[in-house]
């Protein structure tokens, strides 16, 4: 008899026939756990032996009206959802414990309920009194949200069937427990079964469901990644400890652009929307200093200015340090290599630290040129002129590639009082009154112009 794969990674859901310390699927350590398989062995009869009912086929050209959407009135949330809540959609909101998921969703529940959606909030983690206390603290005690505390999935589905709300929030999916699945709540099988039942219910009955999922570091509780493929929309709620702002990021959205972000600030009275995040991320900036550069980025459909800070210092170690916060370490290594190979500027024997200020995470290749500028500015100990933003992608050859949405970046920079922008030549050239655009054709030219000969 063939061996069944009964070990599962609780982070990514990959299945294995034996235990190991590190998951080959996602590279996480200590996430492989043994699970009872859902069914033992293949079904005795093949599906083809019994007739099913034929499918109704349609053309691709059949007109489909765009889904009607409900706005919560929280712009930062509505934009990340792709322009409001789509009926019968399944949404996963993941994030570290304590980051503010329950707070965000209680506020969202209240706003959706106030816009006329029948909204149910089901907590499997907190007692009803705790949720009510939070609602009072948030000034939402009068919102027409229906509240229940339950972890038994069967009871929840029965309630949803009877109540037929437009929106049900399940906080959290890891506390839900299906009595037909023989494993502990929080295990990969339980989390998958619960998410499967709830998303199915959403589609069948036209109820939107929002599932909360804790990101976990230990293997005993399944992480939200194991259900990402089942839902329509995956949002992650992120933030750094010690910073009060939070970012809601769409990483998958069947009803809107992925990469869209919403910015919030955690206050004593819940989450406040930050409608001008560039101002927030630049607020701690003082006078221009070596190693500090402002990158004009785009997050989803919105421009966002962030400060990059670099520190370059002689290393006491045999192996110099490369430390990055908020950007990709591999990409930093690439830029250091290009600076060395194409411009003859070595970083050997130097420790390099790069930090995206304010705890923001950026992933755009368009930040390359800003990173290079921060590194050079730190290495040469020269500050770039104030009121300058930089953006552009660097290729391995040292050529610069224009970044998308140049106009939007320039407009945002101008709005925040910047007067100069440095960007790759090529791409669209619009005239932007009030901001001087300095074009750089390649990295060598850029280095020569702004940092002498390097
Ligand atoms: P919570 O929403 O419970 O996090 P999660 O559901 O992601 O685990 O948020 C918990 C933190 O937020 C907690 O440390 C207290 C803080 N908080 C505020 O600062 N202000 C508030 O108004 C609320 C409700 C919570
Ligand atoms: Mg919570």
């Amino acid at each position: 008899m063939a061996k069944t794969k009964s070990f599962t990674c609780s982070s990514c859901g990959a299945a294995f026939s034996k235990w190991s310390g590190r998951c080959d699927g996602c590279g996480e350590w200590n996430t492989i756990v043994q699970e009872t398989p859902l069914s033992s062995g293949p079904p005795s009869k093949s599906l083809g032996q019994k007739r099913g009912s034929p499918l109704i086929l349609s053309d691709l050209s059949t007109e489909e009206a765009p889904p009607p959407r409900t706005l919560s009135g929280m712009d930062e949330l509505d934009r990340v959802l792709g322009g409001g809540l789509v009926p019968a959609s399944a949404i996963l909101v993941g994030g570290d414990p304590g980051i503010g998921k329950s707070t965000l969703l209680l506020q969202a529940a209240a706003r959706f309920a106030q816009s006329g959606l029948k909204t149910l909030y089901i907590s499997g983690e907190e007692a009803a009194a705790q949720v009510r206390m939070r609602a009072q603290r948030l000034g939402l005690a009068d919102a027409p949200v229906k509240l229940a505390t339950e972890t038994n999935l069967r009871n929840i589905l029965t309630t949803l069937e009877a109540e037929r709300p437009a929106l049900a929030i399940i906080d959290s999916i890891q506390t839900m427990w299906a009595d037909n699945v023989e494993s502990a709540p929080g295990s990969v099988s339980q989390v998958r079964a619960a998410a499967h039942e709830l998303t199915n219910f959403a589609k069948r009955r036209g109820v939107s469901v929002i599932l909360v999922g804790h990101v976990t570091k230990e293997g005993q509780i399944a992480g939200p990644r194991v259900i990402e493929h089942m839902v329509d929309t995956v949002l992650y709620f992120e933030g750094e400890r010690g910073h009060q702002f939070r970012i809601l990021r769409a990483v998958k959205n069947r009803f809107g652009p992925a990469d869209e972000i919403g910015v919030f600030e955690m206050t004593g009275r819940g989450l406040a929307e930050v409608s001008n995040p560039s101002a927030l991320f630049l607020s701690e900036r003082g006078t221009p200093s070596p190693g500090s550069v402002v990158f004009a980025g785009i997050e989803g459909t919105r421009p966002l200015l962030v400060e990059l800070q670099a520190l370059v210092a002689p290393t006491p170690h045999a192996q110099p340090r490369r430390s990055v916060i908020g950007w990709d370490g591999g990409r930093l290594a690439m830029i250091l290599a290009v600076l060395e190979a194409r411009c003859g500027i070595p970083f050997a024997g130097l420790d390099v630290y790069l930090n995206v200020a304010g705890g923001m995470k950026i992933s755009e290749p368009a930040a390359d040129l800003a990173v290079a500028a921060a590194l050079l500015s730190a290495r040469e100990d020269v500050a770039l002129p104030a009121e300058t933003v930089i953006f552009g992608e660097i290729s391995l050859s040292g050529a610069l590639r224009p970044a998308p949405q140049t106009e939007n970046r320039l407009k945002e920079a101008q709005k925040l009082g910047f007067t100069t922008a440095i960007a790759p030549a090529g791409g669209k050239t619009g005239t932007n009154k009030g901001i001087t655009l300095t074009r750089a054709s390649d990295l060598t030219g850029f280095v020569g112009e702004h940092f002498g000969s390097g």
Side-chain angles (χ1 to χ4, degrees), residues 15-37:
F16 301 96
S17 56
K18 62 179 184 10
W19 188 87
S20 68
R22 185 168 186 260
C23 171
D24 286 339
C26 63
E28 292 282 338
W29 288 90
N30 297 326
T31 54
I32 311 253
V33 287
Q34 185 165 24
E35 293 225 347
T36 349

Side-chain angles (χ1 to χ4, degrees), residues 101-102 125-126 134 171 214:
K101 300 180 295 299
S102 301
E125 300 201 330
E126 291 162 304
R134 178 180 291 132
D171 188 1
H214 293 294

Side-chain angles (χ1 to χ4, degrees), residues 71-339:
L71 297 175
S72 65
M74 291 166 85
D75 291 344
E76 296 299 300
L77 172 66
D78 291 335
R79 196 183 46 255
V80 174
L81 288 173
L85 183 72
V86 174
S89 58
I91 298 159
L92 169 68
V93 177
D96 287 330
I99 204 71
K101 300 180 295 299
S102 301
T103 307
L104 174 72
L105 291 173
L106 190 58
Q107 287 182 246
R111 300 296 286 266
F112 279 121
Q114 283 158 349
S115 350
L117 290 190
K118 182 172 177 183
T119 304
L120 242 66
Y121 186 101
I122 299 169
S123 177
E125 300 201 330
E126 291 162 304
Q130 271 176 291
V131 181
R132 269 189 227 110
M133 255 164 59
R134 178 180 291 132
Q136 266 155 27
R137 178 172 172 183
L138 300 173
L140 299 171
D142 298 331
V145 177
K146 291 271 167 252
L147 175 66
T149 52
E150 181 59 77
T151 56
N152 184 316
L153 191 63
R154 200 180 286 277
N155 295 348
I156 291 174
L157 289 171
T158 306
T159 310
L160 293 180
E161 187 74 62
E163 293 285 330
R164 291 293 177 87
L167 170 63
I169 294 170
I170 310 290
D171 188 1
S172 66
I173 192 69
Q174 282 120 336
T175 54
M176 295 302 140
W177 163 74
D179 55 22
N180 59 338
V181 177
E182 266 183 60
S183 56
S187 63
V188 174
S189 335
Q190 280 289 359
V191 167
R192 272 194 186 147
H196 180 73
E197 291 284 347
L198 286 161
T199 48
N200 256 356
F201 183 87
K203 304 290 154 203
R204 242 176 332 124
R205 294 289 187 237
V207 174
S208 297
V209 293
I210 300 181
L211 311 175
V212 174
H214 293 294
V215 172
T216 60
K217 301 283 182 280
E218 280 106 50
Q220 291 313 308
I221 293 180
R225 281 184 60 188
V226 302
I227 55 168
E228 280 184 352
H229 63 284
M230 289 184 207
V231 295
D232 301 306
T233 302
V234 177
L235 311 179
Y236 277 95
F237 204 38
E238 312 166 341
E240 291 282 315
R241 302 234 173 262
H243 287 287
Q244 69 278 37
F245 68 83
R246 303 281 181 268
I247 306 230
L248 185 65
R249 188 185 294 275
V251 297
K252 161 182 169 180
N253 195 351
R254 289 186 183 141
F255 306 116
D259 297 333
E260 196 71 77
I261 66 163
V263 184
F264 298 87
E265 191 177 355
M266 183 61 96
T267 71
R269 286 179 53 93
L271 290 156
E273 295 180 63
V274 177
S275 48
N276 188 353
S278 296
L280 176 76
F281 288 119
L282 296 180
S283 61
E284 284 158 32
R285 226 168 123 254
T287 47
S289 59
S292 156
V293 162
V294 176
F295 164 55
I298 298 278
E299 290 288 337
T301 56
R302 186 162 60 169
L304 184 68
L305 305 189
V306 282
E307 183 192 354
L308 306 183
Q309 302 162 341
L311 179 69
V312 175
T315 182
H317 309 290
Q319 186 82 18
R321 285 201 67 156
R322 305 286 182 248
S323 168
V324 201
I325 299 171
W327 207 50
D328 180 38
R331 196 99 195 161
L332 172 68
M334 185 201 103
I335 290 179
L336 291 171
V338 175
L339 281 171

